[in-house]
């Protein structure tokens, strides 16, 4: 299955961001992609709402529905499955940070509400976001079981392992990975590590807003970086994620069979 990672810099205009998602989906479809992974905050960056004193929870009430409808319409129009991220009304003052996976017909396959909030590096996401409590999510796209991973989640090996326990053979990572000392190295290292320790594909997309690194990547089950972007404000990578590579990796490196401590999904 050909999988694309689309990185871009969303603005304060959610309609304009949806238009970019539609354009990049069309580009990915033309390249043969069956799945496109968009970054965290592809609906809108939270900091632009802070700058304009717009409560994130109120924004989610108005705009989550149109955003979900927009990505479903785009998927259906181009016959490509999508993963994209926005702010979903939680019924409280704080919204969920939600990954939505829709199939090529525009049907919603699953919603993953971010469980690990980014309370690190002098930032507290929990001040703005309601923690999700519905557990990890795996969806079926083509021949692949796709596990949904939202940014800070990638720092928790037990989380991605639980997705693999649920059958995931590809991890779709959406991120707004903030720049800073060692952060770029952490991003590359964590993505390769999650691929190697789980012998699965990892396809990751990150924002390219001024405070984020871009550097979207596709890593194969033996940790080989098959494609990578830099800091380009808007760019697309496409990788052929094949099941044979998973089978080969799990034959020569049977870490999942060799485990002695097994932690299943909660």
């Amino acid at each position: 299955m050909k999988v694309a990672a689309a990185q871009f810099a969303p603005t304060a205009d959610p309609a304009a961001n949806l238009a970019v998602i539609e354009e990049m989906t069309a580009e990915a479809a033309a390249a043969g992609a069956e799945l496109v992974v968009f970054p965290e905050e592809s609906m809108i960056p939270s900091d632009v709402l802070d700058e304009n004193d717009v409560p994130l929870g109120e924004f989610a009430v108005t705009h989550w529905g149109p955003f979900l409808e927009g990505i479903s319409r785009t998927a259906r129009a181009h016959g490509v499955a999508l993963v994209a991220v926005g702010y979903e009304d939680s019924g409280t003052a704080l919204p969920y940070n939600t990954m939505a996976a829709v199939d090529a017909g525009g049907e919603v396959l699953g919603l993953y509400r971010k469980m690990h909030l980014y309370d690190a590096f002098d930032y507290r996401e929990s001040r703005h976001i309601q923690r999700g409590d519905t557990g990890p999510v795996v969806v079926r796209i083509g021949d692949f079981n796709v596990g949904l991973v939202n940014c800070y989640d990638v720092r928790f090996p037990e989380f991605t392992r639980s997705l693999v326990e649920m059958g995931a053979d590809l991890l779709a990572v959406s991120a707004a990975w903030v720049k800073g000392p060692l952060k770029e190295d952490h991003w590359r290292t964590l993505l390769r590590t999650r691929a190697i320790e789980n012998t699965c594909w990892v396809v990751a997309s990150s924002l390219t807003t001024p405070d984020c690194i871009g550097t979207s990547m596709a890593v194969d089950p033996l940790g080989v970086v098959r494609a990578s972007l830099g800091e380009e404000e808007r760019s697309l990578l496409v990788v052929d994620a094949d099941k044979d590579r998973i089978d080969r990796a799990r034959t020569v490196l049977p870490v999942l069979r060799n485990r002695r401590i097994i932690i299943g999904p909660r």
Side-chain angles (χ1 to χ4, degrees), residues 40 57 70 85 117 207 216 220:
E40 186 182 17
V85 191
L117 301 185
L207 285 190
S216 299
D220 81 9

Side-chain angles (χ1 to χ4, degrees), residues 8-13 17 40-57 59 87 95 97 123-125 128-129 176-179 207-212:
F8 75 109
T11 68
D13 183 348
N17 299 334
E40 186 182 17
E41 296 195 326
S42 43
M43 175 179 168
I44 194 168
S46 62
D47 59 355
V48 301
L49 296 177
D50 292 339
E51 291 167 4
N52 292 284
D53 200 28
V54 177
L56 193 55
F59 184 89
Y87 295 107
N97 183 341
Y123 185 81
R124 290 189 63 81
E125 187 179 13
H128 312 283
I129 299 298
W177 203 265
V178 179
K179 294 177 180 177
L207 285 190
T208 54
T209 48
D211 61 334
C212 291

Side-chain angles (χ1 to χ4, degrees), residues 76-147:
R76 186 166 54 251
H78 297 283
V80 179
L82 298 184
V83 171
V85 191
Y87 295 107
E88 177 193 8
D89 176 32
S90 71
T92 74
L94 303 182
Y96 294 119
N97 183 341
T98 301
M99 294 181 75
V102 299
D103 68 15
E107 293 297 317
V108 177
L109 297 172
L111 299 176
Y112 165 61
R113 298 172 180 125
K114 190 176 184 181
M115 296 175 64
H116 299 103
L117 301 185
Y118 182 55
D119 288 356
F121 291 100
D122 299 319
Y123 185 81
R124 290 189 63 81
E125 187 179 13
S126 59
R127 292 176 179 171
H128 312 283
I129 299 298
Q130 179 71 34
R131 188 183 311 278
D133 59 4
T134 55
V137 173
V138 175
V139 298
R140 184 75 174 179
I141 298 175
D143 293 331
F144 279 75
N145 294 318
V146 178

